[in-house]
Amino acid sequence: MEERDVAAESAALPEGVLADLTPLERDIFRARVELYWPDVLRPLRRLYGARPDFDAWCDRLLALVAHGYQTRPAELRLLDLRRQGQPDWFQQPDMLGYVAYADRFAGDLRGVADHIPYLKELGVTYLHLMPLLKPRTGPNDGGYAVADYRAVNPALGTMDDLAELARRLRADDISLCIDLVCNHTAKEHEWAQRAVAGDADYQAYYLMYPDRALPDQYEQTLPEVFPDFAPGNFTYYEAIDRWVWTTFNEYQWDLNYGNPAVLAELLDIILFLANQGVEVLRLDAVAFMWKRLGTDSQNQPEAHYILQAFRALSRIAAPGLILKAEAIVSPPKLIPYLGRGEATNKECELAYHNVLMVLLWSSLAERRVTLMTRALQNMPPIPGGAAWVTYVRCHDDIGWAITEEDAAEVGLSGPGHRAFLSEFYSGRFADTFARGATFQYNPRTNDRRISGSCASLAGLERALAEHDPRATDLAIRRILLIHNLIFAFGGIPLLYMGDELGLLNDPAYLDDPDRRDDNRWMHRPAMDWARAAARQDWWSVSGRIYHGLIAMLAARRRSAALHAQAGAFPVWTHNEAVFGLLRDSPRGRVLVLANFSERPQTVPGYRLHEMVFGGRLVDRLTGREIESAPGITLEGYEALWLTPLPEIDPVALAAMKTTTEERAK
Ligand code: GLC
């Protein structure tokens, strides 16, 4: 029945908007509407189906989509064609992301274009530029308080500069990703300003309450995101005599997606940005998009419907665009953002694997991989059309997303282990290698999140300060080890700007009054171009990290078996310090072994045999042949990417060996 309804509704195309198109373009649009409209209606009915004006809203959304299609530049339509011809483009093992603040990396957007050769040298195919749309003036949460979604931060350039940068990047096979802050706007945004001026239509864009009655009820079950500098989830504004929902800072007003006008506005912005040439949108704080009394108002089913609607609607106008969910939540809550059940392959194509990130740091601190193995085994597989974004550090703090259940299964207490990790990485634990800081201690929950750069958390800062060559060596190995795993896991691995050179914590933020309260700025340093210039010195600390990464990335590009569609199954290695990850698919098999302790560790031969990795194996990272029968011994913090010798193409094997020999020279 639904099929018929759909056909009938898709016939009601907004012909006026399409009038300027050629007959072929109109046919393409019609075909896409037919294809995607069921996926549009399914979530929309659940969100707004009970409203008497539901059909009118569907018409409105379709008109917006038609406008987005009509205004899509020809070269981007060509991109759409390419992407649809190779729908697994973002799952390829040659994908590599780089994340940077445009100003800290290169001054402004034009400066970024000048540094494309640096990105190419690293092998970058995807560039995420941190929030760059026009923020409010004054404190703006690192750009996550947007005052105008259709303008670029004037300090960085203009919308034309952004479109030009996207074009230049695309010419170099680099896809541009930017943030869309879709959970909240700055209170200076025009919608908020109109709301403040008393416009009831715009007041309905936000969640506003005349008194504390409802806010107090909500607060009973709401966590606090910034308990330190923005406690509570509501803020009183005298000008309107209202309590406004502000999950994050007071100046970030949560949007009300219960109102379809909000969804329509954001859809229009999505299509506008896609038409500037943005290929990936990082949808910020998506877990918070729907509120429900008596819950933590995170990860509600409706938040997923909103994302599914965004995806299906944007596919009609700009099928080349993909969506990335930023939901930094616990494992069972995280998986659904990549689509489950009837939404399989119909939600976000990408999501941050914050669980893997947390477990990498947890395993380094413990020198044990049992929790990582178990917790990752407990995560169900993701759809074939989706991929993880894997990373070791980002611009945010680290929150220990470890469930009580996962911890208990390996004999740990959740609260105890999380407290240990916070002690360890804030540098307060007696026997730690890390230098970091506590971000937002919450005395109510004893929750301590952590700030710090990859290198400082991995021990490099302390080792250099103590002029300890052995500790320096170990820190470099740790940095390379955790990157090795985000490269091997499948998906798009992200290099966070500066990590490729081992940049340390930067205390300069303490001098900036707009930033000094937020210690996440310690791990958002400016790019050190002098250090980057010295990267060819293989024996310097930065050079060792840089070239270590480059070598692993080259091996990754040569390994079709690491395609994101291949499952990533954690396996027990019978050695608690060695993580095992099996990547197995018709494209081939790789057994990743990674030693999380500083001492040599052996994986027994019988265990390799059991996993059908007996006989002669080849390490894809070096081309080295290894006999598995006596067991395989890994040096401290060493990782291997093993494939049985007979399964390796001889030409590929020769290439691996040659690269390693060249490196050795
Ligand atoms: C996301 C961002 C974070 C920001 C928050 C509110 O979690 O990564 O930096 O503070 O959203 O926008």
Side-chain angles (χ1 to χ4, degrees), residues 282-296:
R282 172 193 182 277
L283 302 178
D284 181 63
V286 291
F288 298 87
M289 281 196 297
W290 195 273
K291 330 289 184 192
R292 176 164 281 117
L293 206 57
T295 72
D296 61 0

Side-chain angles (χ1 to χ4, degrees), residues 211-222 234 243 293:
D211 53 42
R212 282 292 307 185
L214 271 173
D216 281 344
Q217 284 186 50
Y218 277 112
E219 282 290 13
Q220 287 181 13
T221 51
L222 287 179
F234 300 87
W243 289 87
L293 206 57

Side-chain angles (χ1 to χ4, degrees), residues 376-660:
L376 292 175
Q377 282 176 341
N378 283 342
M379 288 181 81
I382 62 171
W388 290 114
V389 167
T390 59
Y391 65 115
V392 302
R393 283 302 286 123
C394 71
H395 69 292
D396 276 329
D397 50 287
I398 303 178
W400 304 114
I402 293 166
T403 65
E404 313 311 329
E405 294 78 11
D406 287 341
E409 281 187 41
V410 295
L412 293 170
S413 112
H417 187 60
R418 290 193 296 267
F420 158 68
L421 293 173
S422 297
E423 292 281 298
F424 192 95
Y425 284 108
S426 62
R428 295 164 4 147
F429 187 75
D431 190 20
T432 185
F433 47 72
R435 277 204 182 164
T438 299
F439 176 73
Q440 306 285 321
Y441 173 57
N442 188 338
R444 270 198 312 151
T445 57
N446 204 27
D447 190 24
R448 278 180 206 276
R449 282 134 66 192
I450 293 294
S451 286
S453 78
C454 169
S456 291
L457 295 180
L460 191 59
E461 186 173 331
R462 181 178 287 257
L464 292 175
E466 291 170 3
H467 303 287
D468 181 339
R470 161 135 172 98
T472 303
D473 178 62
L474 291 177
I476 294 172
R477 285 162 172 265
R478 284 185 203 105
I479 294 170
L480 293 176
L481 178 72
I482 54 181
H483 279 94
N484 182 293
L485 282 167
I486 65 162
F487 296 162
F489 197 83
I492 306 182
L494 300 182
L495 284 180
Y496 182 66
M497 188 202 82
D499 284 351
E500 74 275 23
L501 303 169
L503 294 195
L504 306 177
N505 290 337
D506 176 5
Y509 75 101
L510 292 168
D511 302 330
D512 180 340
D514 281 351
R515 291 177 174 171
R516 69 168 151 240
D517 291 340
D518 186 342
N519 68 18
R520 289 177 297 175
W521 286 100
M522 76 168 55
H523 54 258
R524 301 170 181 175
M527 185 58 167
D528 185 340
W529 286 109
R531 194 177 276 261
R535 66 190 177 276
Q536 303 308 352
D537 174 2
W538 288 53
W539 302 112
S540 67
V541 169
S542 295
R544 275 188 64 193
I545 297 172
Y546 184 86
H547 291 286
L549 296 174
I550 291 276
M552 294 190 280
L553 288 165
R556 181 174 185 264
R557 279 194 290 275
R558 284 194 301 260
S559 301
L562 298 180
H563 189 287
Q565 282 170 0
F569 310 105
V571 289
W572 298 110
T573 61
H574 293 197
N575 181 324
E576 289 202 336
V578 181
F579 181 61
L581 182 75
L582 182 60
R583 305 292 320 278
D584 193 356
S585 76
R587 292 185 172 89
R589 296 194 297 153
V590 180
L591 175 65
V592 177
L593 295 179
N595 177 4
F596 274 78
S597 89
E598 47 268 88
R599 293 177 211 294
Q601 299 286 341
T602 300
V603 174
Y606 71 83
R607 182 62 191 132
L608 292 158
H609 186 73
E610 274 172 4
M611 291 190 282
V612 201
F613 275 81
R616 278 192 94 64
L617 307 175
V618 175
D619 172 24
R620 295 179 154 273
L621 289 161
T622 54
R624 182 160 61 102
E625 290 182 31
I626 304 174
E627 178 53 48
S628 72
I632 293 181
T633 299
L634 296 98
E635 296 303 314
Y637 297 127
E638 190 184 13
L640 302 170
W641 293 355
L642 301 169
T643 295
L645 178 62
E647 295 172 27
I648 296 222
D649 171 55
V651 182
L653 183 60
M656 287 175 212
K657 290 187 169 157
T658 321
T659 322
T660 310

Side-chain angles (χ1 to χ4, degrees), residues 141 144 181 184 226 248 252 282 284-285 326 395-396 520 524:
D141 190 20
Y144 286 102
V181 187
H184 45 266
F226 296 146
F248 297 91
Q252 292 163 299
R282 172 193 182 277
D284 181 63
E326 190 254 349
H395 69 292
D396 276 329
R520 289 177 297 175
R524 301 170 181 175

